[in-house]
Amino acid sequence: MENKKVIHKHPLAIRWLHWINFPLLAIMIWSGLLIYYANRVYKLDIGFTTLTFFPEWFYDAIGMRSRLAEGMALHFTFMWLFAVNGIIYFLYLIFSKEYKLIFPHRGALKEAWVVLLHDLHIKKGLPPQKKYNAAQRIAYTGVIILGFFMIITGLAIYKPAQLNWLCAACGGYEAARIEHFIITILFALFFLVHIIQVIIAGWANFSSMITGFETKKIKPDNNERANLEQEKNQK
Amino acid sequence: MKEQIWSKKKIRNKTILSFVVFFVMMGLAYCSWKWLFTQPEEAGALRPLRAVLKQNEKIFQPLVSQNHLTKTYPIEKAEKKVRVNGWDGMESPLDTNWNLKVVRTNGDTVYITIDDIKKLPKTDIVFDFKCVEGWNQITHWAGVKFSDFAKYYKLDKETQMQYVGMITPDKGYYVGIDMPSAVHPQTILCYEMNGKELPLDQGYPLRLIIPVKYGVKHIKRIGSIYFSNAKPPDFWAEEGYDYFLGL
């Protein structure tokens, strides 16, 4: 039978942790919204208009009315799983040296700009990359940092008296709540871009997050190619 | 990234296996989520969630320390218009002969007048009052520290117990508080707000101010206080909220 080249892209642990995180993050955001609903006061003033988080039709659409107790119970249950999964993921990156493929390398910022221009169809050609390009490295590392601050600000809100030093480090109770909220918005934005990019990248890329590998046709190497040509010429 | 040469058959088998595991696990996750909502409720919370809330309490209650203080503010920072949230336990008219009833562990009942309470050393506190709903307000309160009160009335045996229960005179609102939080140096039996007598809607003549807890534990118009090793009933904990609610 024909053979193919298999490129091992995502280690088993990363795939499991990634897919465990997916529903957990969804539950954390959902229960967080149930909590936010009880006092939905955050607004964004951008000069000419005021953005409210969120319009009332949004709550109607997702069937959310006065479920604070349920939201808190869910949030304070699934926080453990969400945090533990995130911490295991981080430790795995460090100890498996996988972080070398994810954390930005030197000159990543400049390269990320080129990637952005390419993705927006402004410029052709991508810089050479390993597992991820510079823009991906920055985005994935950024989301790990956000996760870290999610836990920090969450703890500051959860125990502002017992961990008053942590609450103070976040700029106080109100600031910690706003930070926690902004990080959620950023998570949602990351998710949106992530989904779009996955769709654009296509099936093989998506499938590799489940199987771990991508396949490639085996290109004949130079010697083989020479042999083939010789055979052709002889004929 | 490691590269290998695999036969097409091996690739196909590995792919099928991965996808089967993926869909089975996602299906399991979905079913567990659905299962969670079929569970009976315990005090208004789904039983598995209630179990975790109790576990959280076991983890965080021992961390309550007399040295961990809620941040305090200068008096000028205190809000003049203090928010009123909830009338439970204050719907009936206040008895003009109000006394604080304290039930001791030996069964004795002590009645204490507001004037007697005001004779005890007074403590002011300006702190950020936090509601479970998500709002917070810097407010100024004054009264006697619960620990000073307990010392004066020789409630030593009582404060050895695990919980304090407090109830409004009409029994319409009630809270249970773990002892470490009750004897915390910032917990006060409060009779003044913004330097004046406590308004009726803020729990005149006596309310609890307990900065290490969310607002629902700051019971207004206290009628009686008792002590117990079992968890005293708690108004909002019966409605699906966490019992501990410690900050």
Side-chain angles (χ1 to χ4, degrees):
Chain A
M1 207 178 202
E2 207 181 321
N3 289 340
K4 269 189 165 184
K5 197 198 278 179
V6 166
I7 303 147
H8 293 282
K9 221 173 150 188
H10 305 294
L12 186 68
I14 297 254
R15 282 177 277 145
W16 273 87
L17 295 164
H18 169 269
W19 288 113
I20 290 170
N21 185 65
F22 172 58
L24 288 179
L25 180 59
I27 292 168
M28 287 310 280
I29 292 179
W30 162 249
S31 55
L33 271 172
L34 290 174
I35 295 169
Y36 176 68
Y37 181 83
N39 188 47
R40 44 192 190 287
V41 292
Y42 293 158
K43 289 180 176 69
L44 189 62
D45 226 343
I46 41 174
F48 59 94
T49 186
T50 304
L51 276 178
T52 309
F53 298 99
F54 300 85
E56 290 300 309
W57 61 258
F58 172 80
Y59 296 111
D60 284 332
I62 56 177
M64 178 179 296
R65 292 283 170 202
S66 305
R67 292 163 69 180
L68 173 61
E70 185 190 341
M72 290 176 80
L74 284 171
H75 215 65
F76 300 147
T77 297
F78 285 93
M79 64 177 187
W80 294 109
L81 303 175
F82 178 70
V84 166
N85 190 64
I87 290 165
I88 293 175
Y89 172 76
F90 183 75
L91 292 178
Y92 179 83
L93 284 190
I94 299 304
F95 288 109
S96 70
K97 303 273 193 314
E98 189 74 10
Y99 73 90
K100 286 181 180 170
L101 297 170
I102 291 188
F103 292 175
H105 51 280
R106 207 178 289 173
L109 216 54
K110 220 172 160 185
E111 265 182 55
W113 177 246
V114 178
V115 174
L116 184 71
L117 292 178
H118 169 268
D119 284 0
L120 295 172
H121 300 280
I122 295 169
K123 217 175 151 182
K124 276 185 184 170
L126 276 172
Q129 64 177 70
K130 285 183 181 163
K131 183 174 176 179
Y132 294 126
N133 66 42
Q136 283 175 305
R137 282 171 182 259
I138 289 171
Y140 293 149
T141 306
V143 97
I144 294 167
I145 294 168
L146 284 184
F148 172 76
F149 280 109
M150 200 57 143
I151 295 176
I152 295 296
T153 55
L155 275 173
I157 299 165
Y158 191 49
K159 299 291 162 198
Q162 304 310 322
L163 301 174
N164 51 17
W165 56 273
L166 192 70
C167 195
C170 292
Y173 182 73
E174 261 184 73
R177 284 191 70 115
I178 292 170
E179 288 153 15
H180 203 64
F181 185 82
I182 290 172
I183 296 169
T184 311
I185 299 291
L186 293 176
F187 266 174
L189 290 177
F190 170 86
F191 179 72
L192 198 72
V193 175
H194 187 53
I195 292 299
I196 292 170
Q197 293 282 39
V198 166
I199 291 170
I200 292 173
W203 177 255
N205 172 69
F206 173 76
S207 165
S208 74
M209 200 61 214
I210 293 167
T211 62
F213 58 80
E214 274 190 53
T215 58
K216 256 190 187 158
K217 276 190 186 142
I218 300 170
K219 279 187 202 147
D221 65 17
N222 287 339
N223 280 337
E224 279 179 66
R225 204 175 289 149
N227 289 339
L228 285 173
E229 270 173 34
Q230 241 175 11
E231 277 175 37
K232 233 189 229 169
N233 292 340
Q234 280 169 2
K235 280 174 191 171
Chain B
M1 289 179 285
K2 213 172 81 185
E3 293 184 4
Q4 273 178 319
I5 307 291
W6 281 2
S7 72
K8 267 194 172 173
K9 192 178 162 194
K10 188 174 181 184
I11 290 169
R12 199 190 61 209
N13 289 347
K14 286 265 181 190
T15 304
I16 290 170
L17 179 68
S18 294
F19 271 87
V20 166
V21 171
F22 176 75
F23 283 115
V24 166
M25 292 321 288
M26 280 298 169
L28 269 179
Y30 180 77
C31 291
S32 328
W33 178 250
K34 286 284 160 199
W35 169 85
L36 178 61
F37 288 89
T38 63
Q39 289 305 291
E41 285 185 356
E42 185 186 326
L46 297 163
R47 200 176 277 165
L49 301 183
R50 178 59 79 189
V52 178
L53 291 182
K54 284 181 183 169
Q55 210 51 49
N56 288 353
E57 182 173 338
K58 277 193 192 140
I59 295 168
F60 290 107
Q61 193 192 307
L63 300 182
V64 174
S65 158
Q66 312 306 312
N67 302 321
H68 295 162
L69 299 180
T70 303
K71 190 184 175 191
T72 53
Y73 298 81
I75 286 175
E76 313 85 76
K77 291 259 183 176
E79 193 73 47
K80 291 284 166 274
K81 276 187 179 170
V82 181
R83 190 161 166 171
V84 179
N85 231 49
W87 280 89
D88 295 293
M90 300 204 298
E91 276 139 358
S92 41
L94 176 68
D95 185 356
T96 43
N97 297 317
W98 180 93
N99 277 322
L100 178 66
K101 181 179 159 187
V102 178
V103 185
R104 308 195 53 149
T105 42
N106 59 12
D108 288 355
T109 304
V110 191
Y111 291 93
I112 304 164
T113 65
I114 193 71
D115 292 328
D116 286 338
I117 292 171
K118 285 183 180 171
K119 278 179 204 148
L120 300 177
K122 186 170 139 188
T123 302
D124 279 75
I125 185 161
V126 183
F127 78 106
D128 198 8
F129 186 101
K130 300 168 194 77
C131 177
V132 274
E133 289 172 4
W135 55 268
N136 53 303
Q137 211 179 28
I138 297 171
T139 41
H140 174 201
W141 312 86
V144 55
K145 273 186 200 173
F146 186 80
S147 55
D148 288 347
F149 172 85
K151 222 174 279 162
Y152 183 83
Y153 285 99
K154 303 203 167 50
L155 301 169
D156 315 314
K157 258 193 193 153
E158 284 73 10
T159 49
Q160 295 298 309
M161 308 201 82
Q162 287 181 43
Y163 295 96
V164 191
M166 297 188 187
I167 318 178
T168 58
D170 68 353
K171 301 183 172 57
Y173 198 82
Y174 36 91
V175 296
I177 288 157
D178 55 284
M179 199 56 73
S181 300
V183 298
H184 186 274
Q186 291 178 310
T187 301
I188 57 177
L189 293 171
C190 162
Y191 48 78
E192 267 186 17
M193 187 185 85
N194 283 333
K196 292 187 204 101
E197 192 162 69
L198 203 58
L200 201 60
D201 58 9
Q202 290 291 354
Y204 172 86
L206 191 72
R207 74 172 298 174
L208 183 68
I209 286 294
I210 180 160
V212 293
K213 299 276 185 193
Y214 277 118
V216 288
K217 294 282 190 185
H218 300 227
I219 180 173
K220 296 171 184 175
R221 196 192 283 182
I222 305 170
S224 47
I225 298 179
Y226 63 102
F227 304 86
S228 163
N229 278 329
K231 277 184 182 174
D234 188 276
F235 188 89
W236 286 106
E238 291 169 1
E239 303 292 328
Y241 288 88
D242 175 29
Y243 187 92
F244 180 60
L245 288 181
L247 295 169

